[in-house]
Amino acid sequence: MGGTATLEELARLVDGTVIGERELVIRRLAAMEEAGEGDIVFVAQPKYLAKLKSCRASAVIVPPGVEVQGFALIVCRNPYLAFAKILTRLQVERPAPQGVMAGAVGAPSARLGEGGTIHSGCGAGGRVVVGA
């Protein structure tokens, strides 16, 4: 799976603001009924706030103006889009690094960071540095 991320990392991903513990480690996005410690859920509409009373998630994604007690929050303009981005970040398996693949084009002065990949059909120009 994709792994874990701090609430701060997820907030940056979705252009959101953290209210609460920034370094809280989130392991998955879950449905409110199934959520537990280390999970994040989302509430896009206030009519679903009542469901949070029995929710055991560690954090909640909410739109601006929604107040929730007892959870760390990511406040963002579009919780639906945030849901999709966070789901992808946490739950999509990342491919293993492959270095410079056959068919990739790189200038002699280009550098590839540890764990990086330059895919076939892609290029790296002079003095380009591809980070880890």
Side-chain angles (χ1 to χ4, degrees), residues 70-99:
F71 297 93
L73 304 176
I74 293 179
V75 180
C76 60
R77 286 186 307 242
N78 189 338
Y80 290 108
L81 180 58
F83 169 90
K85 287 182 174 183
I86 290 172
L87 180 65
T88 300
R89 166 63 177 83
L90 293 177
Q91 314 231 329
V92 172
E93 188 172 334
R94 294 179 188 356
Q98 298 180 34

PDB file of all heavy atoms in Angstrom, residues 70-99:
ATOM      1  N   GLY A  70     -13.167  17.228  19.233  1.00  0.00           N
ATOM      2  CA  GLY A  70     -12.698  15.893  19.546  1.00  0.00           C
ATOM      3  C   GLY A  70     -11.871  15.212  18.467  1.00  0.00           C
ATOM      4  O   GLY A  70     -11.522  14.041  18.608  1.00  0.00           O
ATOM      5  N   PHE A  71     -11.575  15.919  17.407  1.00  0.00           N
ATOM      6  CA  PHE A  71     -10.794  15.357  16.304  1.00  0.00           C
ATOM      7  C   PHE A  71      -9.763  16.387  15.839  1.00  0.00           C
ATOM      8  O   PHE A  71     -10.008  17.589  15.901  1.00  0.00           O
ATOM      9  CB  PHE A  71     -11.677  15.042  15.088  1.00  0.00           C
ATOM     10  CG  PHE A  71     -12.725  14.014  15.320  1.00  0.00           C
ATOM     11  CD1 PHE A  71     -14.006  14.385  15.709  1.00  0.00           C
ATOM     12  CD2 PHE A  71     -12.455  12.662  15.143  1.00  0.00           C
ATOM     13  CE1 PHE A  71     -14.991  13.432  15.917  1.00  0.00           C
ATOM     14  CE2 PHE A  71     -13.427  11.705  15.345  1.00  0.00           C
ATOM     15  CZ  PHE A  71     -14.707  12.089  15.734  1.00  0.00           C
ATOM     16  N   ALA A  72      -8.660  15.908  15.305  1.00  0.00           N
ATOM     17  CA  ALA A  72      -7.777  16.782  14.534  1.00  0.00           C
ATOM     18  C   ALA A  72      -8.465  17.000  13.186  1.00  0.00           C
ATOM     19  O   ALA A  72      -9.206  16.134  12.719  1.00  0.00           O
ATOM     20  CB  ALA A  72      -6.419  16.120  14.343  1.00  0.00           C
ATOM     21  N   LEU A  73      -8.252  18.159  12.585  1.00  0.00           N
ATOM     22  CA  LEU A  73      -8.973  18.490  11.348  1.00  0.00           C
ATOM     23  C   LEU A  73      -8.024  18.913  10.237  1.00  0.00           C
ATOM     24  O   LEU A  73      -6.980  19.500  10.493  1.00  0.00           O
ATOM     25  CB  LEU A  73      -9.944  19.646  11.590  1.00  0.00           C
ATOM     26  CG  LEU A  73     -10.978  19.503  12.686  1.00  0.00           C
ATOM     27  CD1 LEU A  73     -11.760  20.802  12.828  1.00  0.00           C
ATOM     28  CD2 LEU A  73     -11.911  18.346  12.399  1.00  0.00           C
ATOM     29  N   ILE A  74      -8.448  18.630   9.010  1.00  0.00           N
ATOM     30  CA  ILE A  74      -7.920  19.297   7.830  1.00  0.00           C
ATOM     31  C   ILE A  74      -9.092  20.076   7.267  1.00  0.00           C
ATOM     32  O   ILE A  74     -10.119  19.498   6.896  1.00  0.00           O
ATOM     33  CB  ILE A  74      -7.385  18.319   6.772  1.00  0.00           C
ATOM     34  CG1 ILE A  74      -6.152  17.582   7.278  1.00  0.00           C
ATOM     35  CG2 ILE A  74      -7.056  19.084   5.478  1.00  0.00           C
ATOM     36  CD1 ILE A  74      -5.577  16.576   6.295  1.00  0.00           C
ATOM     37  N   VAL A  75      -8.959  21.389   7.226  1.00  0.00           N
ATOM     38  CA  VAL A  75      -9.997  22.254   6.670  1.00  0.00           C
ATOM     39  C   VAL A  75      -9.583  22.618   5.249  1.00  0.00           C
ATOM     40  O   VAL A  75      -8.489  23.145   5.031  1.00  0.00           O
ATOM     41  CB  VAL A  75     -10.167  23.535   7.523  1.00  0.00           C
ATOM     42  CG1 VAL A  75     -11.253  24.427   6.941  1.00  0.00           C
ATOM     43  CG2 VAL A  75     -10.469  23.178   8.975  1.00  0.00           C
ATOM     44  N   CYS A  76     -10.462  22.314   4.283  1.00  0.00           N
ATOM     45  CA  CYS A  76     -10.147  22.618   2.886  1.00  0.00           C
ATOM     46  C   CYS A  76     -11.428  22.933   2.119  1.00  0.00           C
ATOM     47  O   CYS A  76     -12.518  22.512   2.503  1.00  0.00           O
ATOM     48  CB  CYS A  76      -9.374  21.486   2.230  1.00  0.00           C
ATOM     49  SG  CYS A  76     -10.249  19.936   2.202  1.00  0.00           S
ATOM     50  N   ARG A  77     -11.265  23.674   1.041  1.00  0.00           N
ATOM     51  CA  ARG A  77     -12.421  24.133   0.253  1.00  0.00           C
ATOM     52  C   ARG A  77     -13.214  23.006  -0.376  1.00  0.00           C
ATOM     53  O   ARG A  77     -14.421  23.120  -0.524  1.00  0.00           O
ATOM     54  CB  ARG A  77     -11.949  25.093  -0.844  1.00  0.00           C
ATOM     55  CG  ARG A  77     -11.552  26.444  -0.338  1.00  0.00           C
ATOM     56  CD  ARG A  77     -11.251  27.369  -1.493  1.00  0.00           C
ATOM     57  NE  ARG A  77     -10.275  26.759  -2.382  1.00  0.00           N
ATOM     58  CZ  ARG A  77      -9.092  27.251  -2.637  1.00  0.00           C
ATOM     59  NH1 ARG A  77      -8.717  28.366  -2.108  1.00  0.00           N
ATOM     60  NH2 ARG A  77      -8.263  26.626  -3.441  1.00  0.00           N
ATOM     61  N   ASN A  78     -12.553  21.945  -0.785  1.00  0.00           N
ATOM     62  CA  ASN A  78     -13.248  20.884  -1.502  1.00  0.00           C
ATOM     63  C   ASN A  78     -12.948  19.519  -0.869  1.00  0.00           C
ATOM     64  O   ASN A  78     -12.025  18.828  -1.298  1.00  0.00           O
ATOM     65  CB  ASN A  78     -12.822  20.897  -2.978  1.00  0.00           C
ATOM     66  CG  ASN A  78     -13.646  19.968  -3.823  1.00  0.00           C
ATOM     67  OD1 ASN A  78     -14.253  19.016  -3.339  1.00  0.00           O
ATOM     68  ND2 ASN A  78     -13.658  20.224  -5.129  1.00  0.00           N
ATOM     69  N   PRO A  79     -13.731  19.127   0.145  1.00  0.00           N
ATOM     70  CA  PRO A  79     -13.474  17.841   0.798  1.00  0.00           C
ATOM     71  C   PRO A  79     -13.557  16.637  -0.139  1.00  0.00           C
ATOM     72  O   PRO A  79     -12.873  15.645   0.077  1.00  0.00           O
ATOM     73  CB  PRO A  79     -14.550  17.761   1.881  1.00  0.00           C
ATOM     74  CG  PRO A  79     -14.899  19.176   2.166  1.00  0.00           C
ATOM     75  CD  PRO A  79     -14.771  19.873   0.836  1.00  0.00           C
ATOM     76  N   TYR A  80     -14.388  16.707  -1.175  1.00  0.00           N
ATOM     77  CA  TYR A  80     -14.485  15.589  -2.122  1.00  0.00           C
ATOM     78  C   TYR A  80     -13.166  15.390  -2.869  1.00  0.00           C
ATOM     79  O   TYR A  80     -12.682  14.270  -3.015  1.00  0.00           O
ATOM     80  CB  TYR A  80     -15.616  15.811  -3.129  1.00  0.00           C
ATOM     81  CG  TYR A  80     -16.985  15.701  -2.538  1.00  0.00           C
ATOM     82  CD1 TYR A  80     -17.770  16.829  -2.352  1.00  0.00           C
ATOM     83  CD2 TYR A  80     -17.516  14.465  -2.166  1.00  0.00           C
ATOM     84  CE1 TYR A  80     -19.052  16.734  -1.810  1.00  0.00           C
ATOM     85  CE2 TYR A  80     -18.780  14.353  -1.625  1.00  0.00           C
ATOM     86  CZ  TYR A  80     -19.551  15.490  -1.446  1.00  0.00           C
ATOM     87  OH  TYR A  80     -20.800  15.380  -0.908  1.00  0.00           O
ATOM     88  N   LEU A  81     -12.574  16.487  -3.334  1.00  0.00           N
ATOM     89  CA  LEU A  81     -11.291  16.403  -4.020  1.00  0.00           C
ATOM     90  C   LEU A  81     -10.199  15.979  -3.040  1.00  0.00           C
ATOM     91  O   LEU A  81      -9.337  15.163  -3.378  1.00  0.00           O
ATOM     92  CB  LEU A  81     -10.934  17.743  -4.664  1.00  0.00           C
ATOM     93  CG  LEU A  81      -9.618  17.807  -5.424  1.00  0.00           C
ATOM     94  CD1 LEU A  81      -9.574  16.774  -6.541  1.00  0.00           C
ATOM     95  CD2 LEU A  81      -9.407  19.218  -5.981  1.00  0.00           C
ATOM     96  N   ALA A  82     -10.252  16.507  -1.821  1.00  0.00           N
ATOM     97  CA  ALA A  82      -9.289  16.112  -0.795  1.00  0.00           C
ATOM     98  C   ALA A  82      -9.377  14.613  -0.525  1.00  0.00           C
ATOM     99  O   ALA A  82      -8.366  13.938  -0.389  1.00  0.00           O
ATOM    100  CB  ALA A  82      -9.525  16.904   0.495  1.00  0.00           C
ATOM    101  N   PHE A  83     -10.591  14.107  -0.449  1.00  0.00           N
ATOM    102  CA  PHE A  83     -10.802  12.665  -0.258  1.00  0.00           C
ATOM    103  C   PHE A  83     -10.064  11.880  -1.334  1.00  0.00           C
ATOM    104  O   PHE A  83      -9.325  10.942  -1.043  1.00  0.00           O
ATOM    105  CB  PHE A  83     -12.309  12.371  -0.304  1.00  0.00           C
ATOM    106  CG  PHE A  83     -12.646  10.908  -0.392  1.00  0.00           C
ATOM    107  CD1 PHE A  83     -12.820  10.150   0.750  1.00  0.00           C
ATOM    108  CD2 PHE A  83     -12.802  10.291  -1.625  1.00  0.00           C
ATOM    109  CE1 PHE A  83     -13.139   8.796   0.676  1.00  0.00           C
ATOM    110  CE2 PHE A  83     -13.117   8.944  -1.715  1.00  0.00           C
ATOM    111  CZ  PHE A  83     -13.286   8.195  -0.555  1.00  0.00           C
ATOM    112  N   ALA A  84     -10.245  12.252  -2.580  1.00  0.00           N
ATOM    113  CA  ALA A  84      -9.623  11.523  -3.695  1.00  0.00           C
ATOM    114  C   ALA A  84      -8.097  11.602  -3.630  1.00  0.00           C
ATOM    115  O   ALA A  84      -7.403  10.599  -3.816  1.00  0.00           O
ATOM    116  CB  ALA A  84     -10.131  12.067  -5.025  1.00  0.00           C
ATOM    117  N   LYS A  85      -7.559  12.781  -3.357  1.00  0.00           N
ATOM    118  CA  LYS A  85      -6.107  12.942  -3.301  1.00  0.00           C
ATOM    119  C   LYS A  85      -5.501  12.162  -2.137  1.00  0.00           C
ATOM    120  O   LYS A  85      -4.461  11.524  -2.285  1.00  0.00           O
ATOM    121  CB  LYS A  85      -5.746  14.426  -3.180  1.00  0.00           C
ATOM    122  CG  LYS A  85      -5.953  15.201  -4.456  1.00  0.00           C
ATOM    123  CD  LYS A  85      -5.519  16.640  -4.261  1.00  0.00           C
ATOM    124  CE  LYS A  85      -5.580  17.419  -5.550  1.00  0.00           C
ATOM    125  NZ  LYS A  85      -5.098  18.801  -5.375  1.00  0.00           N
ATOM    126  N   ILE A  86      -6.153  12.228  -0.984  1.00  0.00           N
ATOM    127  CA  ILE A  86      -5.627  11.531   0.189  1.00  0.00           C
ATOM    128  C   ILE A  86      -5.754  10.022   0.018  1.00  0.00           C
ATOM    129  O   ILE A  86      -4.849   9.271   0.367  1.00  0.00           O
ATOM    130  CB  ILE A  86      -6.313  12.039   1.470  1.00  0.00           C
ATOM    131  CG1 ILE A  86      -5.842  13.470   1.750  1.00  0.00           C
ATOM    132  CG2 ILE A  86      -6.030  11.119   2.658  1.00  0.00           C
ATOM    133  CD1 ILE A  86      -6.569  14.168   2.875  1.00  0.00           C
ATOM    134  N   LEU A  87      -6.856   9.576  -0.557  1.00  0.00           N
ATOM    135  CA  LEU A  87      -7.022   8.149  -0.823  1.00  0.00           C
ATOM    136  C   LEU A  87      -5.894   7.647  -1.716  1.00  0.00           C
ATOM    137  O   LEU A  87      -5.268   6.620  -1.451  1.00  0.00           O
ATOM    138  CB  LEU A  87      -8.375   7.876  -1.466  1.00  0.00           C
ATOM    139  CG  LEU A  87      -8.672   6.418  -1.807  1.00  0.00           C
ATOM    140  CD1 LEU A  87      -8.769   5.581  -0.545  1.00  0.00           C
ATOM    141  CD2 LEU A  87      -9.957   6.316  -2.607  1.00  0.00           C
ATOM    142  N   THR A  88      -5.610   8.393  -2.764  1.00  0.00           N
ATOM    143  CA  THR A  88      -4.532   8.018  -3.681  1.00  0.00           C
ATOM    144  C   THR A  88      -3.188   8.018  -2.962  1.00  0.00           C
ATOM    145  O   THR A  88      -2.409   7.084  -3.094  1.00  0.00           O
ATOM    146  CB  THR A  88      -4.490   8.982  -4.883  1.00  0.00           C
ATOM    147  OG1 THR A  88      -5.739   8.903  -5.571  1.00  0.00           O
ATOM    148  CG2 THR A  88      -3.361   8.623  -5.831  1.00  0.00           C
ATOM    149  N   ARG A  89      -2.938   9.028  -2.164  1.00  0.00           N
ATOM    150  CA  ARG A  89      -1.655   9.135  -1.447  1.00  0.00           C
ATOM    151  C   ARG A  89      -1.457   7.982  -0.461  1.00  0.00           C
ATOM    152  O   ARG A  89      -0.378   7.413  -0.360  1.00  0.00           O
ATOM    153  CB  ARG A  89      -1.602  10.477  -0.714  1.00  0.00           C
ATOM    154  CG  ARG A  89      -0.513  10.632   0.330  1.00  0.00           C
ATOM    155  CD  ARG A  89       0.879  10.555  -0.285  1.00  0.00           C
ATOM    156  NE  ARG A  89       1.888  10.770   0.716  1.00  0.00           N
ATOM    157  CZ  ARG A  89       2.353   9.820   1.552  1.00  0.00           C
ATOM    158  NH1 ARG A  89       1.893   8.599   1.491  1.00  0.00           N
ATOM    159  NH2 ARG A  89       3.289  10.112   2.414  1.00  0.00           N
ATOM    160  N   LEU A  90      -2.509   7.613   0.259  1.00  0.00           N
ATOM    161  CA  LEU A  90      -2.368   6.615   1.310  1.00  0.00           C
ATOM    162  C   LEU A  90      -2.539   5.181   0.827  1.00  0.00           C
ATOM    163  O   LEU A  90      -1.965   4.263   1.397  1.00  0.00           O
ATOM    164  CB  LEU A  90      -3.387   6.871   2.431  1.00  0.00           C
ATOM    165  CG  LEU A  90      -3.192   8.146   3.233  1.00  0.00           C
ATOM    166  CD1 LEU A  90      -4.310   8.286   4.254  1.00  0.00           C
ATOM    167  CD2 LEU A  90      -1.839   8.181   3.914  1.00  0.00           C
ATOM    168  N   GLN A  91      -3.325   4.970  -0.225  1.00  0.00           N
ATOM    169  CA  GLN A  91      -3.742   3.614  -0.517  1.00  0.00           C
ATOM    170  C   GLN A  91      -3.284   3.063  -1.857  1.00  0.00           C
ATOM    171  O   GLN A  91      -3.530   1.906  -2.149  1.00  0.00           O
ATOM    172  CB  GLN A  91      -5.256   3.521  -0.413  1.00  0.00           C
ATOM    173  CG  GLN A  91      -5.765   4.186   0.832  1.00  0.00           C
ATOM    174  CD  GLN A  91      -6.682   3.353   1.670  1.00  0.00           C
ATOM    175  OE1 GLN A  91      -7.393   2.536   1.153  1.00  0.00           O
ATOM    176  NE2 GLN A  91      -6.661   3.567   2.947  1.00  0.00           N
ATOM    177  N   VAL A  92      -2.639   3.873  -2.656  1.00  0.00           N
ATOM    178  CA  VAL A  92      -2.186   3.386  -3.958  1.00  0.00           C
ATOM    179  C   VAL A  92      -0.752   2.896  -3.825  1.00  0.00           C
ATOM    180  O   VAL A  92       0.113   3.600  -3.316  1.00  0.00           O
ATOM    181  CB  VAL A  92      -2.293   4.496  -5.026  1.00  0.00           C
ATOM    182  CG1 VAL A  92      -1.642   4.062  -6.321  1.00  0.00           C
ATOM    183  CG2 VAL A  92      -3.746   4.865  -5.249  1.00  0.00           C
ATOM    184  N   GLU A  93      -0.515   1.691  -4.262  1.00  0.00           N
ATOM    185  CA  GLU A  93       0.823   1.117  -4.204  1.00  0.00           C
ATOM    186  C   GLU A  93       1.754   1.875  -5.134  1.00  0.00           C
ATOM    187  O   GLU A  93       1.439   2.127  -6.288  1.00  0.00           O
ATOM    188  CB  GLU A  93       0.770  -0.357  -4.608  1.00  0.00           C
ATOM    189  CG  GLU A  93       2.065  -1.068  -4.394  1.00  0.00           C
ATOM    190  CD  GLU A  93       1.936  -2.560  -4.627  1.00  0.00           C
ATOM    191  OE1 GLU A  93       0.831  -3.102  -4.480  1.00  0.00           O
ATOM    192  OE2 GLU A  93       2.958  -3.162  -4.971  1.00  0.00           O
ATOM    193  N   ARG A  94       2.894   2.220  -4.617  1.00  0.00           N
ATOM    194  CA  ARG A  94       3.872   2.939  -5.420  1.00  0.00           C
ATOM    195  C   ARG A  94       4.825   1.942  -6.085  1.00  0.00           C
ATOM    196  O   ARG A  94       5.276   1.000  -5.447  1.00  0.00           O
ATOM    197  CB  ARG A  94       4.654   3.887  -4.538  1.00  0.00           C
ATOM    198  CG  ARG A  94       3.753   5.002  -3.996  1.00  0.00           C
ATOM    199  CD  ARG A  94       4.486   5.915  -3.133  1.00  0.00           C
ATOM    200  NE  ARG A  94       3.804   6.919  -2.384  1.00  0.00           N
ATOM    201  CZ  ARG A  94       2.556   7.258  -2.361  1.00  0.00           C
ATOM    202  NH1 ARG A  94       1.699   6.649  -3.086  1.00  0.00           N
ATOM    203  NH2 ARG A  94       2.080   8.213  -1.600  1.00  0.00           N
ATOM    204  N   PRO A  95       5.165   2.166  -7.339  1.00  0.00           N
ATOM    205  CA  PRO A  95       6.085   1.239  -8.005  1.00  0.00           C
ATOM    206  C   PRO A  95       7.500   1.365  -7.434  1.00  0.00           C
ATOM    207  O   PRO A  95       7.888   2.424  -6.946  1.00  0.00           O
ATOM    208  CB  PRO A  95       6.049   1.700  -9.469  1.00  0.00           C
ATOM    209  CG  PRO A  95       5.596   3.110  -9.421  1.00  0.00           C
ATOM    210  CD  PRO A  95       4.716   3.244  -8.209  1.00  0.00           C
ATOM    211  N   ALA A  96       8.236   0.310  -7.503  1.00  0.00           N
ATOM    212  CA  ALA A  96       9.621   0.313  -7.037  1.00  0.00           C
ATOM    213  C   ALA A  96      10.455   1.216  -7.942  1.00  0.00           C
ATOM    214  O   ALA A  96      10.226   1.275  -9.158  1.00  0.00           O
ATOM    215  CB  ALA A  96      10.175  -1.105  -7.067  1.00  0.00           C
ATOM    216  N   PRO A  97      11.422   1.935  -7.374  1.00  0.00           N
ATOM    217  CA  PRO A  97      12.306   2.772  -8.197  1.00  0.00           C
ATOM    218  C   PRO A  97      13.060   1.910  -9.209  1.00  0.00           C
ATOM    219  O   PRO A  97      13.450   0.789  -8.907  1.00  0.00           O
ATOM    220  CB  PRO A  97      13.286   3.371  -7.185  1.00  0.00           C
ATOM    221  CG  PRO A  97      12.707   3.115  -5.847  1.00  0.00           C
ATOM    222  CD  PRO A  97      11.756   1.986  -5.968  1.00  0.00           C
ATOM    223  N   GLN A  98      13.261   2.472 -10.405  1.00  0.00           N
ATOM    224  CA  GLN A  98      13.900   1.694 -11.462  1.00  0.00           C
ATOM    225  C   GLN A  98      15.102   2.378 -12.086  1.00  0.00           C
ATOM    226  O   GLN A  98      15.620   1.916 -13.101  1.00  0.00           O
ATOM    227  CB  GLN A  98      12.865   1.374 -12.540  1.00  0.00           C
ATOM    228  CG  GLN A  98      11.727   0.538 -11.994  1.00  0.00           C
ATOM    229  CD  GLN A  98      10.686   0.218 -13.048  1.00  0.00           C
ATOM    230  OE1 GLN A  98      11.015   0.037 -14.213  1.00  0.00           O
ATOM    231  NE2 GLN A  98       9.450   0.156 -12.637  1.00  0.00           N
ATOM    232  N   GLY A  99      15.514   3.512 -11.543  1.00  0.00           N
ATOM    233  CA  GLY A  99      16.672   4.207 -12.098  1.00  0.00           C
ATOM    234  C   GLY A  99      16.363   4.788 -13.468  1.00  0.00           C
ATOM    235  O   GLY A  99      15.248   5.200 -13.741  1.00  0.00           O
TER     236      GLY A  99
END
